[in-house]
Amino acid sequence: MKTRHWLSTLIITLAVVGPAPAQTEADPWENGDDWGDEPWAEEPEGWQWYGFIEGAYAGRTQNDPTLEEDATLSELRAQLEGERQFGRFEAVLKADVWADGIEDGGRGDLREATLSGTVTDQIDVKAGRQTLTWGTGDLVFLNDLFPKDYVSFFNGRDDEYLKAPSDALRLSWYGPVNVEVVWMPVAQPNRYIEGERLSYFSPQAGQRTSTRVDPVDRDELVDDSEFALRVYQTVNGTEYAGYAYSGYEKQPSGQDPNSQTPYFPRLNAFGASVRRPIGQGIGNLETAWYDAEEDQLRFLAGFTHEPVGNLTLGWQYYLEWTQDHDALVAATPDAQRPYAPDEYRHLITNRITWQLMQQDLTLSLFSFVSPSDEDYYLRPRARYRFSDRLFGTVGGNLFGGEDEWTFHTQLEDNSNLYTRLRYSF
């Protein structure tokens, strides 16, 4: 596991003991060139620091017989972020520390430690711990196979914590088509539900449980590395993109038949997307083919529009089509066969965002409804801006459905209502 953070350690070392700011004769900002002497054009010297302090609590709406805690979130968190220019390069550090009332103790998370900049007129590079994302879906991910933090997403933390950081090297080339290549030297799984804070349904146990999941790690440097590729361009207002990925599934969905130990199966993926204005809104299509132990075709169609001022609506239809479904069911142990996924999983989502009181108050509701699984997941939220520095948020994560083993219904006992108060500095 020591290899997991080697890139981040390298970047922190370079940032702290590296060269002084590029106040050289070659620095155009210092030479009073075309940018002139306007104060806004001056490059800040040294590290620039900012962050926030946040208190958060989320209580369950019902008892969870598998867990003692009545809360899914109880913490006092501080985030500190700093950035510094080194000529044509920039170093960024961002870290969270918090006192955790659920896991009883102090915790920390290095969320970014990068050095990025322009190598040539056409090539940019970014190395270190960073948050990566692409694709066209809204909280639905097909070709974005970078790690997610679903524990934070479901327990009441801010949406920004859904994207988990990766140790990676990203190269960008800008030409007739733009190309981005990402190399993650060690596989980066999701921060998945493992039973410590949130319960889940176990097909092996045939019931909801909080038993800790302990999979085989993919932590061998280089041997367990992952690659992601995006080729994209905008033509006459339409964005086109193609994607490729070679790595591992982000959830420990495989299970060794002899040891019963879960593991992360191999996954290769290929896909494409298009996004463009349609009428008074923006439409998007995205598809992906998953070459895995269970091959799948995934498809997404979305449309976002603003029917009246300060009111935005977003709609999505998502499909998972499992290939060779009969073979999958036949290979499933008899006791687990009732919990096998359907050949087709349909999902419809809707986002409503309404801004009031000169945009100091934002009301939103994100709904996931699956007609095939007969389950749902609702994310209501109200956020109020008391000042430029102080924000308050209340909301919920509400799960339900017919069968306790489906994607959202299995989390029903984790339904919660939360409140957060954040002061930025």
Side-chain angles (χ1 to χ4, degrees):
M1 293 295 290
K2 293 180 179 179
T3 58
R4 184 180 292 276
H5 306 300
W6 71 275
L7 264 176
S8 302
T9 303
L10 173 62
I11 297 307
I12 293 174
T13 304
L14 288 173
V16 174
V17 303
Q23 300 172 15
T24 66
E25 294 181 358
D27 190 336
W29 301 86
E30 295 293 327
N31 290 340
D33 63 357
D34 294 343
W35 294 95
D37 296 323
E38 294 293 334
W40 57 267
E42 294 179 358
E43 178 180 314
E45 296 184 359
W47 285 93
Q48 308 298 310
W49 295 102
Y50 45 91
F52 65 80
I53 298 173
E54 182 177 84
Y57 180 83
R60 299 181 191 277
T61 60
Q62 59 195 68
N63 178 55
D64 187 336
T66 70
L67 290 167
E68 295 182 356
E69 295 287 348
D70 293 329
T72 62
L73 181 69
S74 177
E75 64 185 27
L76 179 62
R77 173 182 294 260
Q79 182 181 95
L80 186 64
E81 181 173 2
E83 57 187 35
R84 179 174 178 174
Q85 292 295 136
F86 294 93
R88 301 177 69 180
F89 286 81
E90 180 186 52
V92 176
L93 293 173
K94 181 163 67 175
D96 283 24
V97 294
W98 67 95
D100 196 315
I102 304 298
E103 300 179 24
D104 294 328
R107 296 288 185 274
D109 187 15
L110 178 62
R111 299 194 60 79
E112 184 167 356
T114 58
L115 185 65
S116 62
T118 300
V119 179
T120 71
D121 291 342
Q122 290 184 298
I123 299 177
D124 287 348
V125 62
K126 188 173 187 178
R129 172 156 284 207
Q130 55 193 289
T131 300
L132 299 160
T133 187
W134 58 39
T136 64
D138 184 5
L139 299 183
V140 178
F141 308 102
L142 286 76
N143 293 291
D144 179 349
L145 289 164
F146 304 113
K148 313 294 184 300
D149 184 348
Y150 286 106
V151 177
S152 291
F153 187 62
F154 292 143
N155 73 7
R157 292 192 178 117
D158 191 272
D159 289 359
E160 70 177 274
Y161 292 99
L162 172 60
K163 302 293 180 66
S166 304
D167 294 330
L169 174 65
R170 183 173 69 183
L171 294 174
S172 303
W173 182 79
Y174 305 102
V177 295
N178 304 313
V179 180
E180 282 193 309
V181 179
V182 177
W183 176 54
M184 292 167 281
V186 176
Q188 311 280 314
N190 286 341
R191 297 178 180 182
Y192 50 87
I193 296 171
E194 58 181 357
E196 187 171 40
R197 186 183 297 254
L198 304 174
S199 60
Y200 63 95
F201 183 84
S202 167
Q204 291 76 32
Q207 60 184 2
R208 291 172 181 156
T209 180
S210 60
T211 302
R212 290 292 302 273
V213 179
D214 187 18
V216 178
D217 289 328
R218 296 282 190 181
D219 57 359
E220 293 295 327
L221 183 65
V222 180
D223 288 345
D224 288 333
S225 63
E226 298 176 304
F227 293 89
L229 169 72
R230 179 172 69 139
V231 179
Y232 64 101
Q233 187 55 281
T234 300
V235 180
N236 297 327
T238 302
E239 301 174 7
Y240 300 93
Y243 310 88
Y245 169 83
S246 178
Y248 300 91
E249 294 200 16
K250 299 304 176 184
Q251 301 283 128
S253 56
Q255 186 172 45
D256 186 289
N258 298 318
S259 66
Q260 303 298 308
T261 303
Y263 64 93
F264 300 92
R266 189 79 193 177
L267 171 64
N268 295 313
F270 309 91
S273 69
V274 59
R275 176 163 50 195
R276 61 162 299 160
I278 299 177
Q280 299 300 312
I282 297 176
N284 62 286
L285 297 173
E286 184 170 345
T287 186
W289 173 264
Y290 284 17
D291 179 10
E293 290 186 353
E294 299 167 8
D295 292 349
Q296 280 191 339
L297 174 66
R298 300 191 177 195
F299 172 79
L300 175 72
F303 182 69
T304 302
H305 62 120
E306 186 175 330
V308 298
N310 295 321
L311 177 65
T312 304
L313 303 178
W315 310 86
Q316 296 182 120
Y317 166 72
Y318 171 69
L319 169 68
E320 290 179 4
W321 179 13
T322 300
Q323 309 297 299
D324 299 324
H325 186 262
D326 290 343
L328 167 66
V329 173
T332 302
D334 291 344
Q336 301 175 26
R337 198 162 293 172
Y339 318 129
D342 292 339
E343 181 176 2
Y344 300 95
R345 177 172 181 257
H346 304 276
L347 181 67
I348 298 170
T349 78
N350 169 238
R351 180 192 286 273
I352 304 171
T353 304
W354 188 18
Q355 293 184 303
L356 305 163
M357 304 172 66
Q358 298 181 328
Q359 299 188 345
D360 284 337
L361 176 63
T362 301
L363 305 177
S364 67
L365 173 64
F366 200 110
S367 305
F368 299 81
V369 177
S370 174
S372 54
D373 285 353
E374 298 183 85
D375 65 5
Y376 64 87
Y377 170 37
L378 306 177
R379 289 176 59 85
R381 185 180 66 181
R383 185 173 188 263
Y384 185 75
R385 180 174 60 187
F386 296 97
S387 71
D388 290 341
R389 295 182 180 275
L390 186 63
F391 299 85
T393 305
V394 295
N397 293 281
L398 307 174
F399 306 90
E402 185 68 23
D403 300 316
E404 63 177 356
W405 58 84
T406 59
F407 190 87
H408 291 127
T409 310
Q410 65 174 318
L411 301 172
E412 189 171 18
D413 290 342
N414 302 305
S415 293
N416 60 79
L417 298 174
Y418 64 81
T419 181
R420 301 191 301 263
L421 186 65
R422 175 180 295 195
Y423 177 79
S424 301
F425 57 87

